[in-house]
Amino acid sequence: IGSEMEAFSGHLLPILIAISFISFSAYFILFRSENAKETSFKVKDILIYPVKSCSGISLKSHQVGRFGLTNDRKWMVVCDGNFLTLRQAPSMVLIKPILNENELILEAPGMPKLSIPLQAPNRREEPIINVSIWQGDHLAVDEGDEAAQWFTTYLKREGEIRLVRQRDDHDRLVPKDYLVKESKNLVSFADGFPLLVTSEASLSDLNERIAKNNGGKTLPMSRFRPNLVIEGSDEAWVEDSWKRIKIGKVRFQVPKRCPRCKATTVDGSRGVFDGEEPLTTLKTFRAVKSDVFFGQNLSQENEGTVSVGDRVFLLK
């Protein structure tokens, strides 16, 4: 038995050395070879908005897939074939999504629950209709007459209202000026890029400025509809300098700041426009020509998981 144990130990030692070498090599590849610099920032919140311009869902951990966070802006409401958002219909923010593996459930004030099947054989695969978002036309799956009537009744708008879902082979790309070779450059029905990251420090700075001009009034982060909210530093607007970052196991390009529009003036608790903030204050110090900015757009270089508590690493 003693000789057998010695022989086993003799074989085990090289195996342990090999495992240690592989682990160190993996660490080196993931971090050292990327020149990753750890920051004090970490993820505070992860949010998806299954239906564009409707309420969001806060998550502890989530998968970044081909189009961004899985199921983010996968559905969209169209009116006469054109995308409909908070800019035209602020009450959309009161529509609450509940998502599980079998269905998307939508709730809204004064409305019965609407269930959208996600699994075969009840998941709709047709008809395929043409829809427009910004300057692009795309094919999407029409979710049927029941969903269309639900939104028509709730929104009380003229025109033909339909709920559509992106196809599995959805091929919409980020703006052509921001294509990156490391990415597939695909985007869901989000405005332009797969994800948006915002900073608690930057919001605090903005709110201090807003409060001085508006009798102490401040705004919640939800006004900006981010996907990733980061915290951990008092330094505001430092995200402006980021070019590439790593969160969890996912590397992101940071192509451009996010220009903000009147959707940020919608009161999320009432579903109505509420004055001109934050746009008025942003114009005083975050403006370039006619645009004002808050948050950074992201394009993922690879797929993987991000979680609350993940550190932000700067990459070169």
Side-chain angles (χ1 to χ4, degrees), residues 74-76 104 114-118 122-129 140-148 151 162-166:
K74 187 172 185 176
W75 287 265
M76 179 172 70
L104 168 67
L114 174 67
S115 175
I116 307 295
L118 303 183
N122 296 317
R123 188 176 97 146
R124 298 184 67 90
E125 302 298 344
E126 56 182 25
I128 303 295
I129 65 173
V141 180
D142 189 315
E143 288 286 16
D145 291 340
E146 181 183 359
F151 276 94
R162 310 296 297 185
L163 177 67
V164 300
R165 185 186 79 241
Q166 72 176 53

Side-chain angles (χ1 to χ4, degrees), residues 159-228:
E160 184 181 13
I161 305 292
R162 310 296 297 185
L163 177 67
V164 300
R165 185 186 79 241
Q166 72 176 53
R167 298 171 300 131
D168 292 339
D169 57 351
H170 183 73
D171 59 357
R172 182 171 175 244
L173 298 176
V174 301
K176 63 180 181 180
D177 292 340
Y178 297 96
L179 298 174
V180 293
K181 63 181 181 179
E182 294 87 353
S183 171
K184 294 180 180 178
N185 296 298
L186 294 170
V187 61
S188 63
F189 289 133
D191 271 356
F193 292 88
L195 294 95
L196 174 70
V197 61
T198 59
S199 159
E200 285 283 358
S202 298
L203 178 63
S204 294
D205 180 70
L206 174 61
N207 271 330
E208 287 181 11
R209 298 168 187 263
I210 291 175
K212 290 179 181 178
N213 300 324
N214 291 275
K217 179 180 179 179
T218 60
L219 300 178
M221 185 66 84
S222 57
R223 284 285 186 104
F224 300 96
R225 302 179 66 80
N227 293 116
L228 303 175

Side-chain angles (χ1 to χ4, degrees), residues 213-254:
N213 300 324
N214 291 275
K217 179 180 179 179
T218 60
L219 300 178
M221 185 66 84
S222 57
R223 284 285 186 104
F224 300 96
R225 302 179 66 80
N227 293 116
L228 303 175
V229 180
I230 58 172
E231 64 177 357
S233 172
D234 294 330
E235 186 177 358
W237 316 112
V238 67
E239 62 271 21
D240 285 349
S241 65
W242 295 350
K243 301 301 181 185
R244 290 179 70 230
I245 60 174
K246 182 184 179 71
I247 300 175
K249 296 182 179 180
V250 187
R251 300 180 302 276
F252 298 96
Q253 298 271 346
V254 190

Side-chain angles (χ1 to χ4, degrees), residues 21-34:
F21 178 78
I22 292 170
S23 299
F24 177 80
S25 299
Y27 174 84
F28 182 85
I29 291 171
L30 288 174
F31 293 96
R32 298 299 185 184
S33 64
E34 289 181 336

